[in-house]
Amino acid sequence: MVNLGVLASGRGSNFQSIIDAIEEGSLRADIKVLITDKPDALAIDRAKRHGIKHIYLNPKEYDSKDAFFEAITEVLLNMQVELVILAGFMRIVGKPLIDAFPYKIMNIHPALLPSFPGLHGQKKAVQYGVKISGCTVHFVDEGIDTGPVIIQAAVPVSDDDTEESLSERILRLEHKIYPEAIRLFEQGRLSIQGRTVKIKSQRAQEAFLINPPIELH
Ligand code: GAR
């Protein structure tokens, strides 16, 4: 069992995939709190529907970025959170939070890192013309989407893909790999060597997912 604290800014469909995995019994976790930086984040409705405590913290009410992240850290520590989940949290995480949860903050990014970090990963992939893109769950460090990669999933990109169609295809896989990464953490199977995340007793499907599966000839 692992205590989670989720940070979200918007729709919260990844938050929902984690709730669903817990409720269907495939993930042994307890979501202690949802923290949002937007008062109208759709994620709040999801928390309400599932009886999850939710808190809105207004960044404008703090003197500095550090002060805002100190407040977030205080809430998470008070709630006995063991792993912090960024689920569409559209801010660069401040040092106070990173220092309080070393290698205990996960983020999901809609591209195959280190390609296309930052905002609009799907749009950048379409504009660049890559043939494969996907999503990445990684531990958070002080850089922008630079922390150690935990799990990735790949999708094909076709000539007629738009940002929207690619985003949709990637999102379906985000909803699979995020609960999976948390499951690996909960099972105590993740360790970090250098910048590589090692997965203990790894089965082939656990390091990456390709959808649709590629047939090798
Ligand atoms: C997801 O696609 C997530 O990968 C992305 O925002 C979306 C949030 O959706 N995150 C980033 O781009 C972070 N740089 P959701 O609110 O429905 O989970």
Side-chain angles (χ1 to χ4, degrees):
M1 182 65 90
V2 60
N3 288 343
L4 305 179
V6 178
L7 271 56
S9 301
R11 180 178 58 183
S13 71
N14 278 290
F15 174 44
Q16 185 70 53
S17 74
I18 295 162
I19 295 171
D20 293 346
I22 294 170
E23 290 188 351
E24 75 189 24
S26 64
L27 176 61
R28 283 166 31 90
D30 186 7
I31 304 176
K32 291 291 189 187
V33 64
L34 166 76
I35 301 176
T36 69
D37 59 346
K38 297 264 161 51
D40 53 356
L42 234 145
I44 295 172
D45 298 342
R46 300 180 193 272
K48 283 183 187 159
R49 239 178 283 142
H50 294 270
I52 296 167
K53 185 181 167 70
H54 53 92
I55 295 175
Y56 159 59
L57 294 179
N58 183 353
K60 293 196 182 103
E61 283 176 14
Y62 297 87
D63 290 342
S64 63
K65 179 177 168 181
D66 274 4
F68 176 61
F69 278 94
E70 273 160 20
I72 291 179
T73 303
E74 197 184 324
V75 172
L76 295 170
L77 291 174
N78 283 340
M79 301 298 297
Q80 270 93 47
V81 165
E82 297 161 303
L83 178 66
V84 181
I85 300 298
L86 308 186
F89 185 65
M90 296 308 192
R91 268 170 207 281
I92 298 161
V93 173
K95 199 168 171 347
L97 181 57
I98 293 172
D99 289 348
F101 290 91
Y103 296 116
K104 288 185 174 128
I105 308 171
M106 287 185 184
N107 179 46
I108 189 148
H109 182 73
L112 291 177
L113 292 172
S115 291
F116 314 125
L119 293 175
H120 311 300
Q122 307 96 325
K123 185 176 176 183
K124 288 174 187 164
V126 169
Q127 284 177 343
Y128 196 93
V130 293
K131 303 300 184 195
I132 295 176
S133 192
C135 45
T136 304
V137 180
H138 63 95
F139 283 118
V140 172
D141 63 11
E142 282 181 60
I144 299 176
D145 300 323
T146 51
V149 169
I150 302 166
I151 187 167
Q152 294 186 301
V155 299
V157 185
S158 67
D159 295 351
D160 48 11
D161 260 319
T162 60
E163 179 185 1
E164 289 72 30
S165 62
L166 180 60
S167 299
E168 211 176 287
R169 192 173 312 122
I170 291 174
L171 192 65
R172 284 200 290 274
L173 285 188
E174 292 186 36
H175 296 162
K176 288 187 184 165
I177 66 169
Y178 218 173
E180 178 64 22
I182 300 168
R183 197 174 296 125
L184 291 169
F185 182 96
E186 190 273 329
Q187 292 171 345
R189 291 171 58 200
L190 300 180
S191 62
I192 296 164
Q193 288 171 25
R195 59 156 300 118
T196 302
V197 177
K198 305 270 184 192
I199 304 176
K200 274 181 220 130
S201 321
Q202 184 179 39
R203 294 185 293 272
Q205 280 296 330
E206 288 175 336
F208 60 91
L209 249 158
I210 296 177
N211 204 357
I214 289 174
E215 284 188 24
L216 299 174
H217 296 286

